[in-house]
Amino acid sequence: MALDRWIALVLLSTCLLYGYVAWFTMDANLAPFMQRKPVWPSSFPKILSILGTALSLVILLGLEKGEQVIGEIDHRRLTDYKLGQAVLMLALMVAYALCLRPLGFLGSTTAFLVAGSFILGERRWHVMIPVSLLTAGTIWYLVQEVLGIFLRPLPFFLGN
């Protein structure tokens, strides 16, 4: 069996377990006033489990491939793939997570987006920097102001 089908099998079992928890155990301890609401805390997990199960079955049964034959990854020729980019992106993600508190959300997210796009091959600085600044600012605004979740925008030494 191909690697994508093994991954789909693992995801299918995870989604089925998640769905079991969402359908049968999450709602057992709900307060009476919550039981009369149309949307329960388990509504989103139920939707996710159904979608995850359906998509895993599509991959597991091979319905997504159609007539197109895609070659599998040749593990003997790993050097032909762009492993350097993948490793650099993983290292950049770790650095981003470590820099979130000391540098603040805006600085670390902007730096992550600029560095990530550079690693992936973008070289137009006049596009990378404004797009990164706009994206980081928009995400911060949505999380901070719309959702009401505090997210430190600036480095700790610039104040609260």
Side-chain angles (χ1 to χ4, degrees):
M1 190 159 55
L3 180 63
D4 60 342
R5 292 194 179 176
W6 279 108
I7 294 171
L9 186 63
V10 170
L11 285 175
L12 177 65
S13 58
T14 303
C15 289
L16 288 174
L17 180 66
Y18 188 58
Y20 176 80
V21 170
W23 286 94
F24 297 109
T25 63
M26 288 180 85
D27 299 332
N29 297 326
L30 278 180
F33 72 91
M34 286 293 296
Q35 292 177 354
R36 289 186 289 263
K37 295 195 178 246
V39 178
W40 291 4
S42 65
S43 297
F44 190 63
K46 288 176 183 176
I47 293 169
L48 282 179
S49 68
I50 291 169
L51 289 175
T53 301
L55 293 175
S56 298
L57 283 172
V58 165
I59 294 172
L60 194 60
L61 298 174
L63 300 176
E64 88 285 0
K65 291 186 179 179
E67 294 183 20
Q68 180 182 5
V69 177
I70 300 174
E72 292 186 26
I73 295 176
D74 187 3
H75 300 289
R76 294 177 301 248
R77 298 177 53 201
L78 283 178
T79 55
D80 293 348
Y81 303 107
K82 297 183 179 183
L83 289 179
Q85 282 183 340
V87 170
L88 281 174
M89 286 301 293
L90 288 172
L92 186 62
M93 288 179 208
V94 171
Y96 173 69
L98 294 174
C99 291
L100 265 173
R101 287 196 181 197
L103 297 180
F105 180 80
L106 293 176
S108 58
T109 302
T110 302
F112 172 76
L113 291 173
V114 169
S117 59
F118 182 79
I119 289 171
L120 293 175
E122 182 62 51
R123 298 295 185 260
R124 295 178 293 175
W125 295 97
H126 66 281
V127 173
M128 287 191 312
I129 293 173
V131 167
S132 299
L133 284 169
L134 182 68
T135 303
T138 303
I139 292 171
W140 174 81
Y141 176 78
L142 289 174
V143 170
Q144 178 79 25
E145 301 301 325
V146 175
L147 294 177
I149 301 170
F150 176 71
L151 192 59
R152 183 185 308 270
L154 300 173
F156 68 95
F157 57 85
L158 292 179
N160 295 332

